Amino acid sequence: MTVESGPAPRAQAWLAVARCVAASCAMLVRRQVHLPKHNVGRVLRFADGSTARVYRETAVDRRPAEPCVLVVAFTLRLVRGRAHRLFEAESLMNTPLFVGFPGFVSKLWCAHDTFGAYRGLYEWDGPERARKYAAALWRVLELVSVPGSISYKVLPGLRRDEVLANPAAMPAAAQADHAWWRLLNPN
């Protein structure tokens, strides 16, 4: 089963983001946030026909008891050409907006794909925690994204590295669904 929904109420979302930033600062001071290089440069293929390059990986010291994968997609407003590289560099500053959310395990940051959308491929501890994060993140992303371009999908019971190694582990999408979130095997 997959889970997706819309944004959290604004006040609830911004309170969650504020709590996250406080927790993130403590985690950064304790050096619990890491930037592994293993997946950087990897090209991911998605069932909608797009491909995206992983430009950063972020992970924390946590093993999920209830693993799930979260895929988030959005298209930035006003970012074209070389500005994409500037966004990739600047986006490191956004780390405190997510690592302190309860249940965060890891994130692959995907550069804008062949259709212009950015994606985050996360591992989370708990599908409900992942959904709450994505619903709060929506309120941050709507400030900089093309209206109607924000989407997320929560895939319970999956580990990120499992779906990277074997994309067939992800649920099959309906035949008519272009499954923007579903990974395909590399060429």
Side-chain angles (χ1 to χ4, degrees), residues 24-52:
S24 297
C25 290
M27 292 170 74
L28 288 164
V29 166
R30 290 190 301 257
R31 298 178 189 250
Q32 294 173 314
V33 180
H34 312 287
L35 298 174
K37 301 276 190 230
H38 178 72
N39 289 300
V40 174
R42 182 180 206 154
V43 176
L44 303 179
R45 285 183 352 136
F46 293 89
D48 66 355
S50 66
T51 59

Side-chain angles (χ1 to χ4, degrees), residues 64-101:
E66 190 182 1
C68 71
V69 168
L70 166 66
V71 187
V72 175
F74 60 95
T75 303
L76 290 173
R77 275 193 308 253
L78 308 174
V79 176
R80 306 283 179 268
R82 292 184 196 169
H84 286 293
R85 291 291 188 182
L86 292 172
F87 172 75
E88 289 176 23
E90 175 280 329
S91 65
L92 182 62
M93 303 303 285
N94 298 331
T95 302
L97 298 177
F98 64 88
V99 297
F101 266 89

Side-chain angles (χ1 to χ4, degrees), residues 58-64 103-107 123-125 159:
T58 304
V60 298
D61 300 329
R62 178 179 290 127
R63 296 275 308 157
F104 173 80
V105 176
S106 67
K107 175 183 180 181
E123 183 168 358
W124 217 268
D125 187 5
R159 304 277 319 241

